[in-house]
Every structure is written in structure tokens, then in C-alpha cells.
């Protein structure tokens, strides 16, 4: 298709606008594939019975702070009470009697599929029990291009495979509990700096005046986009993700939430996403355009592009009603928006006994105004429902099993009834302000167990390390001395001099860009420990020959100032462990849990070694973040550049040791034949569907103006046109008869998920205690790919002296690279490439090596497509909107006030 070819060529070059002149808007209609079909049937029936304003009500939130009730979709005529929405990946945000889970980072640090799923399920169950239909979690954007990126702890790992598994399992777990998991932020949202104009122009950073005019643009080529940043999204779509949040940033200079290629072609087309796309708070920058480009729901509801408050004014709401009536947005697009939202609702069985919303996000009072801006509806707004169940156990298990032991000499750990323990550092104890002392955890006082921003939640309690260690010490009859003031060196010196073991606690923090701590504007400004952490460790180690360092961090830190100090005998990284922090740490410190966490990122020796960084000073009014490193972030970069890390990706010690032997690489039946793959291409031929378009409603203004029976509330967004509106009904779009959809099940071409090989190794526990090993599979795909890439992991408990077989499943996608000209995934074996196979204990501790044979006749990625797994293609035959080269649609257009202008001649 000529359009695709031109578009691809441009995508391969960073910085250029994404669309060539003349490209098309191509919103596909989903008819509900696979296990979505029943949900779609119900959604169609529901939506076709709604009026235009009722459908608009499903798409547009009622406005920030205008209501503590249901956020959208309140349709009394059909008895639909509406939908409630809330954050976050660490728990139900800004309420009480709910859990403070570990950061998702810790889930990834466990490399344990069962624990990831268990915590996700628990988080989903708490949202449901509070009455939250739609939970803004999990996060895989940022992926972790830069280790300083403020929100990386809300996600998992810069490795797309580890992130993909974790992301998919989190979606599956939350969904299974009954809450709609919202995967966010789509996509290339890799730093906080310059994500919104007002936020960053208001910061007035020292020595910098920004004056940006638009959010930053992440400019990435198509192959990098697919193989790195989109990879985990395939997992989540495959695992049933029912909602996606589009991000603040631009992608190749088009806003993510109005990016037709990204939302319509890739997410809804190529990946076969069946659910709905929701904006972030203020990431919607247009009305008609975002609707045509594939956005289905606006949170906040208010305009607020770039962070300006648009109290009560919406791009959608009444403007969407008007846009449909005047022909700017086809009614079938509105139907598809509403259908996708309701399909997600039915997909998660939310029509079956879903609890009532029973709290007011951000207000813990029992009584208050349901409509605070209007000071109306005084009533009970919080029932204080305790939804925590047995989840503390899960949080403690994730916490303990995520701890990464980086160093342990002289068998320092586990501790065995030490005679005298010195505990040093503010990070060991409670904050004098309490665990919830700062809004959205926007400070670093006392022990750090959570990052800051919308990914935070309230602690119901926080077990700090000091409290937990003292509890253990009482049983052991140990003496415990402590100094929580990092700066009282004299006291520290005297206390540690008496100790058998010195536990020194350090941390650093990061979070979302609307909060700044000590010059860290969301993104960290450096990779070192905070509060003189490096000096503190050296201070303690200088006076204590048995110093154990414990670090609470949102990502990697530089450890060079102290890691080789001979008195630093053990080092534990504990991530951000949530409410059970101290208990989880004690489990590992004293050996009740043998450490089994592995690094989900590389720990470099110098910040520069990562090769990527946050852009701290805007390089243009529309900051241009060029992903020139392509596929080479984190260990992919260290390997390619030949840089020695301090601790490589996938590293972590245990109290025992493991040996590896007997590598077996077994092709799955019929897996390695080219014909099996070739048939895939045929299966991906375009599919033409005839969606059942709902009957069109009367197009007269009076049916959609503000009803006389309702009096309007301050700042509350309604779907109605103003009373006495008069307008001309615009030209009708043709009904959508031909629509692009992905071939087959969600997650792209089904063959991507076919098993090609099973790789098996024997792992033996050669030490004297039982322990869990995370065996890791890496593949070398040639063709300009990274030296090695994680393509499997398996965490297994092995008794001392025992041996077990550990297997990895290698799917078609694991062997494939993204072929840009062909717009398809290509199995590198068909390009004449033999795939290198390595299995080991980390990315640089590879114990066994083998090969998967080439099966093709050779050629470059651009040459041989006979065995390609073709992704979905799209066929925009319905309404098409031509775009000017500046990225604006020719028809229809919008005035700057968000009102829609219908031009004299419509195109179709
Ligand atoms: C964040 C989202 C969050 C939303 C609602 C935004 O600032 O980027 O992750 O879900 O706020 O709180």
C-alpha cells in the first residue's frame, strides 16, 4: 500500500513529522474477536439503545473535582449508574483502609510470575471492593530509556521481555479480580521534563527559562518503536488488556492522543486491541481530531491541555455532541467509542454484582459534598470500607522475594543472633511526619517505601526497618543501637564502634513531574544516593568492619564510592517495598527467605555509561527527544559498547549456589518449517467486516439541549448543548462498511505466539540451603540486533543438593525482528541467521550455549519475506479525513475554543 510505504520511510527518520500530506484517518471498528465476542454482543445491544448524549456521557468524565460520585456514563434512563475511575499501581489512590503494595519495580525484581500475578490480583480486588470500575494501572511507559526517569518504579524494567511478561501478568491479575486494568502511558513517555507546557514553564528552574510551547516529542524509528517500546503492549493486549491510556508526549511530533497511526493503525489495527483508549489528565489536545484518531474516553473531561485548568470546559462533552450532530465526527465513531467502553465493562463481568463506589478520592471525611465545587449534595461520601483482606502477606512476600543481594562476603548474611546491631541512617526509621505526611508521597523523610506522584497510595501503616529489626532483636536478645540523623558523625562513629554488625540505610527517590524534591523535578538529577548517602556508608564502614548496606531506590544508583570498601561486607537492594518494608527486609536479613531477586536493570559504574539521559534543558520550544540510540538501552547498550557494568542486568546472589548443565533445544512439532510461517502471511489478508451500526437518532437540536428538568452544577460537564442552541446539521458520514481490523486474536497475528522451541537445562543447587534460582535465556538474533536479548526466564525453588529441569518456551515473536518496509515481524532464521542461544544466571554469567539453525535462504531483513508473520493492515475505506502537512485535519476543523467548525465542502 503506497500510504504505508511512504509513512514507514518517514518513521525511520527521527524528528520528521509522522504523516505525509494526504494521509488518512482510519478509525477501525472492532467487532469483538475471540473471547471478546460475548462482551461485544452485549455492548452493541446496550449502546444501540442510547441517545447521542447518553453515548457522549460514556466518553467524557464529569470534570476534575466537580463530583465525588461516578466519573462518567451516568445514564438514569436505562438504570446505568455510571463508572468510577481511580489510580494506581500501588493501590487504591488517596483513600483509607486499603493496602500500600510494593512498587511494580519490586514485582519485576522478583522475576516471579506467580507473585506478580498475586499482587496484581490483590490490587485489582481492592479497587473492585472500593467500587472502582477502571483502575489506572499498570505502567510500562516509561519503559526505562534513562535510569533517571522519574516514573520508572511505577513500571518494571527497561528490558521489553521482562516488562512484557510483568505488564501482561498485571493486566491479567487485575482483570481477573474484576477491575478494568488501564495500561499506561502509550507510548514513548520516557521522561517527566517537558511533558506538559504549563507545568514546566512554571517550574522556573534555576538558570533555565523554558518557554516551551508544546509537550516534548519522542522521535523514534519504526523498528525501535516495535521491538523495544511496543513489545510489552503486545503482551498486555494478548493477555486481555481492556483499556489503554495515551500519554502526554508527542510521538514523532504528533500528540499521542491524536496520533492516528499510533492509535488506529498500530494499537487497534496491528495489535488487535479490543478495548478503549483513554486520555491522561490533560493529554487530550483536541476534540474532533482525537476522536477521529482513535481516542475513546477523556478523563478529567476538562480541556486542560498542557496543564491549564479548563474548569467545566471540555473538548468533548457538549462539543462531542455537537460534532456528531454537525457531521464532524461520524456517529458510528461515537458508537464505537461507547461500544468499546461497554465491551470492557462486560468483558470483566462488571454487570454482575459490582460493588457501589464507596469512597471519595482525595477526601477521607465521612461526610461531605458529593459535588464539592458546587457545594451541593451534602451526604456520606466515604464508607471507610476495609478492602485489605490478607494482602499484607502478599506484599511481604513480594518485598522479601524482590530483595537483590549484590554482595555477601564472609557469610555476613544471614544474620544469626548478632550480639549488638548498629542501625544507621534516616532511611531505617519512621518519618516524623508519618508515612502519609506529604501529599502524594512528595518528600523523602524517614524510610522510603514508595515513590511520589499519581502512582502513590496512602499507607495504612508502614513497618520501617528499625521497628522490624528490633522485634527480631528482642527474640534474639540482641542489643540494638541506632542513629537516624545522617549528619551526626560523632554519634554514628561511637555507636558503630561497639557493634557486631552495622546496618546502614541509604535511599534516593523519584516520581511524577508535578512534584519537585530538592531539585529533582520528577526525574532524578543524578544517580547517587541522597542525604549524603555515599559519605554515610564510608563513615560507617570506616569504623565498622562488618557493614551491611541496604538501599531503597526507584532504580539503579552508582555505588562506586563504597562498593569495594573491604568493610562493606554485604549489600541489599530493596526497591520500594510498600507497607511491609521492614518485615520483608528482616525475612532476608535473618535468612527466613533466601534472597532471590535479580536486577531488572544494569547498575553502571558511571552515569555516562548508560549512554542515554533525560533532557533537562529544552532544546527547542517543542523539545525534541531523539531516540538515536535505537534498540540500545540499558544492557543492550553496555554489551554493544563493551562497557563493564558494576552489576549486570539479571544479577543477584543467593545464600546457596547453582550449577547449570545439559542444554537441550527442541523444536516444537512443525515449528521450523518455512511453510508454516508462510501460511501466516496468507491468514493476515485484510478482513472486511460490516459492523452493526446503531440506528441514527433524530438530528434536531432540541433533542440534545440542556433539559429543563436539570439544573446545572458548577464545573460539572454535561453532554448537552446549551439551551436555545441553533445550528445546522452537517453532512452525514457514510456508514462504515469496510473497516480495518487485526487478523485474529488480540496481540497481533496469532502465529507470533506459536511455540517454536522448548529450551531445557538442568539446574542444581550446589550449596547447603534451599534456594530459588532465576535461570535466564538469552538469544542473539543477528541482523543488527543487540548482542543478546532476554527471551525467557524461569524462577524455581531447588532443595539443597537437588537438581531439576528448567524449561523456556520460545515463540515465533521471540525469534522475530520488525521489518520496516514489509511492516511485519520476520523470523530471523528465515533470513539465513542461526540464532545464538545462551542460558545462565545473569546477562553476563552465561553457562551454556547452543544454536537454533537458520532455515531461510539468506538475505537481509528487507529482502526475504516468505516466512514473515504479517501484522494487521488497515483499510480506511469509510470516512477519510485528509491532513495538511502541519498535522491538522482539513475537514473538519476546530476553533481554538474547542468549538467545531464545519467547512463548506466535506471530504470523504
Ligand atoms: C498521570 C497518570 C494518572 C493520572 C490520574 C496523571 O498525571 O500521568 O498516570 O493516572 O494523572 O491521576
Amino acid at each position: 500500500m503506497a500510504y504505508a510505504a511512504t509513512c514507514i520511510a518517514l518513521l525511520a527518520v527521527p524528528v520528521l513529522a509522522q504523516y505525509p500530506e494526504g494521509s488518512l484517518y482510519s478509525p477501525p471498528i472492532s467487532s469483538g474477536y475471540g473471547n471478546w465476542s460475548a462482551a461485544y454482543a452485549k455492548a452493541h445491544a446496550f449502546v444501540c439503545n442510547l441517545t447521542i448524549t447518553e453515548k457522549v456521557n460514556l466518553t467524557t468524565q464529569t470534570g476534575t473535582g466537580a463530583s465525588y460520585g461516578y466519573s462518567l456514563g451516568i445514564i438514569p434512563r436505562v438504570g446505568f449508574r455510571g463508572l468510577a475511575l481511580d489510580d494506581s499501581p500501588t493501590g487504591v489512590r488517596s483513600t483509607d483502609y486499603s493496602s500500600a503494595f510494593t512498587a511494580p519495580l519490586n514485582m519485576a525484581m522478583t522475576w516471579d510470575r506467580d507473585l506478580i500475578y498475586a499482587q496484581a490480583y490483590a490490587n485489582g480486588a481492592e479497587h473492585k471492593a472500593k467500587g472502582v470500575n477502571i483502575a489506572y494501572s499498570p505502567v510500562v511507559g516509561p519503559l526505562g530509556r534513562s535510569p533517571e526517569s522519574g516514573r520508572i518504579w511505577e513500571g518494571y524494567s527497561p528490558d521489553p521481555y521482562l516488562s512484557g511478561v510483568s505488564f501482561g501478568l498485571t493486566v491479567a491479575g487485575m482483570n481477573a479480580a474484576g477491575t478494568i486494568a488501564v495500561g499506561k502511558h502509550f507510548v514513548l513517555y520516557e521522561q517527566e521534563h517537558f511533558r506538559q507546557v504549563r507545568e514546566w514553564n512554571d517550574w522556573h528552574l534555576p538558570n533555565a527559562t523554558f518557554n516551551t510551547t508544546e509537550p516534548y516529542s519522542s522521535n523514534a524509528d519504526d523498528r525501535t518503536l516495535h521491538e523495544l517500546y511496543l513489545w510489552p503492549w503486545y503482551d498486555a493486549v494478548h493477555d486481555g488488556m481492556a483499556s489503554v491510556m495515551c500519554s502526554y508526549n508527542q510521538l514523532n511530533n504528533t500528540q499521542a492522543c491524536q496520533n492516528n497511526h499510533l492509535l488506529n493503525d498500530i494499537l487497534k489495527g496491528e495489535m488487535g486491541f479490543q478495548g478503549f483508549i483513554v486520555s491522561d489528565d490533560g493529554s487530550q489536545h483536541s476534540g474532533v481530531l482525537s476522536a477521529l484518531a482513535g481516542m475513546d474516553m477523556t478523563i478529567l473531561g476538562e480541556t486542560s491541555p498542557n496543564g491549564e485548568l479548563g474548569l467545566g470546559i471540555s473538548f468533548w462533552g457538549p462539543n462531542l455532541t455537537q460534532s456528531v450532530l454537525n457531521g464532524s465526527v461520524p456517529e458510528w465513531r461515537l458508537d464505537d467509542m461507547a461500544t468499546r467502553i461497554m465491551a470492557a465493562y462486560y468483558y470483566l463481568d462488571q454487570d454482575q454484582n459490582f460493588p457501589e463506589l464507596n469512597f471519595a478520592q482525595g477526601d477521607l471525611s465521612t461526610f461531605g459534598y458529593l459535588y464539592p465545587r458546587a457545594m451541593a449534595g451534602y451526604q456520606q461520601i466515604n464508607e471507610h470500607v476495609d478492602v485489605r483482606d490478607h494482602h499484607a502477606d502478599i506484599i511481604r512476600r513480594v518485598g522479601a522475594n524482590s530483595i537483590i543481594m549484590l554482595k555477601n562476603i564472609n557469610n555476613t548474611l544471614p544474620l544469626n543472633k548478632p550480639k549488638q546491631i548498629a542501625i544507621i541512617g534516616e532511611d531505617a526509621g519512621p518519618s516524623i511526619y508519618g508515612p502519609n505526611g506529604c501529599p502524594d508521597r512528595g518528600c523523602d523523610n524517614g524510610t522510603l517505601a514508595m515513590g511520589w506522584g499519581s502512582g502513590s497510595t496512602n499507607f495504612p501503616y508502614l513497618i520501617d526497618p528499625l521497628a522490624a529489626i528490633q522485634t527480631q532483636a528482642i527474640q534474639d536478645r540482641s542489643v540494638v543501637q541506632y542513629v537516624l540523623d545522617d549528619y551526626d558523625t560523632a554519634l554514628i562513629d561511637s555507636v558503630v564502634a561497639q557493634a557486631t554488625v552495622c546496618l546502614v540505610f541509604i535511599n534516593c527517590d523519584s516520581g511524577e513531574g508535578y512534584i519537585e524534591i530538592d531539585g529533582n523535578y520528577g526525574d532524578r538529577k543524578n544517580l547517587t544516593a541522597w542525604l549524603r548517602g555515599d559519605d554515610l556508608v564510608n563513615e560507617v564502614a570506616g569504623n565498622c568492619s562488618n557493614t551491611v548496606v541496604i538501599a531503597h531506590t526507584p532504580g539503579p544508583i552508582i555505588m562506586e564510592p563504597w562498593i569495594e570498601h573491604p568493610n562493606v561486607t554485604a549489600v541489599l537492594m530493596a526497591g520500594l517495598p510498600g507497607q511491609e518494608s521492614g518485615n520483608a527486609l528482616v525475612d532476608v536479613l535473618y535468612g527466613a527467605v533466601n534472597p532471590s531477586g535479580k536486577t531488572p536493570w544494569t547498575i553502571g559504574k558511571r552515569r555516562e555509561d548508560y549512554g542515554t539521559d533525560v533532557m533537562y534543558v529544552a532544546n527547542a520550544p517543542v523539545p525534541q527527544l531523539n531516540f538515536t540510540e535505537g534498540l540500545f538501552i540499558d544492557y543492550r547498550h553496555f554489551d554493544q559498547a563493551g562497557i563493564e557494568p558494576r552489576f549486570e542486568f539479571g544479577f543477584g546472589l543467593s545464600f546457596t549456589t547453582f550449577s547449570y548443565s545439559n542444554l537441550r533445544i527442541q523444536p516444537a512439532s512443525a515449528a521450523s518449517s518455512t511453510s508454516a510461517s508462510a501460511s501466516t502471511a496468507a491468514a493476515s489478508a485484510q478482513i472486511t467486516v460490516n459492523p452493526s451500526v446503531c440506528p441514527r437518532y433524530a438530528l434536531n437540536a432540541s433533542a440534545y439541549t440542556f433539559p429543563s428538568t436539570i439544573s446545572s452544577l458548577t464545573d460539572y460537564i454535561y453532554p448537552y448543548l446549551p439551551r436555545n442552541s441553533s445550528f445546522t446539521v452537517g453532512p452525514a458520514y457514510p456508514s462504515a462498511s469496510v473497516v480495518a481490523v487485526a487478523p485474529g486474536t488480540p496481540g497481533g497475528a496469532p502465529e507470533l505466539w506459536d511455540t517454536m522451541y522448548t529450551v531445557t537445562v538442568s539446574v542444581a543447587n550446589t550449596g547447603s540451603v534451599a534456594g530459588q534460582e532465576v535461570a535466564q535465556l538469552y538469544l542473539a538474533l543477528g541482523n543488527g540486533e543487540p548482542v543478546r536479548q532476554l527471551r525467557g526466564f524461569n524462577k524455581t525453588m531447588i532443595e539443597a543438593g537437588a537438581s531439576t529441569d528448567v524449561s523456556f518456551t520460545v515463540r515465533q515473536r521471540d525469534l522475530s525482528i520488525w521489518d520496516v518496509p514489509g511492516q511485519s515481524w520476520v523470523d530471523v532464521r528465515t533470513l539465513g541467521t542461526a540464532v545464538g542461544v545462551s542460558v545462565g544466571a545473569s546477562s553476563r554469567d552465561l553457562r551454556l550455549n547452543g544454536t537454533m539453525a537458520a532455515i531461510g535462504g539468506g538475505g537481509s531483513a528487507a529482502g526475504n519475506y516468505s516466512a514473515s508473520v504479517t501484522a494487521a493492515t488497515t483499510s480506511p475505506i469509510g470516512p477519510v479525513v485528509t491532513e495538511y502537512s502541519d498535522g491538522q485535519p482539513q475537514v473538519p476543523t476546530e476553533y481554538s475554543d474547542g468549538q467545531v467548525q464545519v467547512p463548506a465542502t466535506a471530504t470523504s
Side-chain angles (χ1 to χ4, degrees), residues 271-491:
M271 291 189 191
F273 173 62
Q274 307 292 304
F276 63 93
I277 298 174
V278 58
S279 62
D280 199 346
D281 280 8
S283 70
Q284 184 184 20
H285 285 245
S286 59
V288 170
L289 204 56
S290 57
L292 295 178
M295 224 183 87
D296 303 300
M297 177 191 280
T298 173
I299 62 163
L300 283 193
E302 290 168 352
T303 49
S304 324
N306 293 322
E308 296 93 1
L309 290 181
L311 302 178
I313 300 170
S314 180
F315 282 121
W316 286 2
N319 282 322
L320 185 54
T321 302
Q322 180 163 333
S323 304
V324 172
L325 291 174
N326 70 16
S328 307
V329 172
E331 189 175 354
W332 57 259
R333 176 75 270 269
L334 176 64
D335 290 344
D336 187 53
M337 293 175 180
T339 304
R340 284 173 174 274
I341 293 164
M342 290 309 298
Y345 171 87
Y346 289 118
Y347 187 60
L348 276 301
D349 294 330
Q350 294 194 343
D351 54 333
Q352 313 288 320
N353 304 319
F354 200 86
E356 288 271 358
L357 179 66
N358 52 50
F359 72 105
Q361 198 218 42
D363 191 338
L364 303 183
S365 320
T366 305
F367 289 89
Y369 291 112
L370 188 59
Y371 308 106
R373 292 257 172 77
M375 292 177 61
Y378 192 81
Q379 61 176 68
Q380 184 165 358
I381 56 170
N382 187 359
E383 293 168 30
H384 308 288
V385 178
D386 191 334
V387 297
R388 290 172 294 170
D389 205 338
H390 65 292
H391 299 158
D393 298 342
I394 295 172
I395 299 167
R396 182 171 179 164
R397 275 168 53 215
V398 174
N401 286 282
S402 64
I403 289 175
I404 305 163
M405 187 162 71
L406 294 174
K407 185 175 181 183
N408 190 28
I409 56 175
N410 311 329
N411 293 323
T412 296
L413 300 180
L415 300 177
N416 183 15
K417 300 187 185 349
K419 207 163 171 202
Q420 184 166 153
I421 307 169
I423 297 174
I424 307 297
E426 181 177 332
D427 182 67
S431 162
I432 58 169
Y433 306 106
N436 301 319
C438 305
D440 294 343
R441 313 296 75 80
C443 56
D444 184 18
N445 300 317
T447 197
L448 183 73
M450 191 180 287
W452 77 72
S454 65
S456 68
T457 194
N458 288 338
F459 285 98
Y461 59 81
L462 172 53
I463 306 292
D464 58 77
L466 175 62
I469 293 166
Q470 293 206 106
T471 304
Q472 176 70 37
I474 292 168
Q475 288 176 34
D476 295 348
R477 301 189 61 77
S478 301
V479 166
V480 176
Q481 302 293 315
Y482 62 87
V483 182
L484 302 184
D485 181 347
D486 293 2
Y487 295 86
D488 193 339
T489 50
L491 189 57

Side-chain angles (χ1 to χ4, degrees), residues 92-121:
V92 189
R93 184 178 175 203
S94 301
T95 187
D96 48 13
Y97 299 96
S98 60
S99 299
F101 291 96
T102 79
L105 163 65
N106 288 68
M107 295 158 87
M109 287 161 66
T110 67
W111 298 60
D112 184 323
R113 289 177 170 81
D114 293 343
L115 284 180
I116 294 169
Y117 185 87
Q119 179 159 289
Y121 187 94

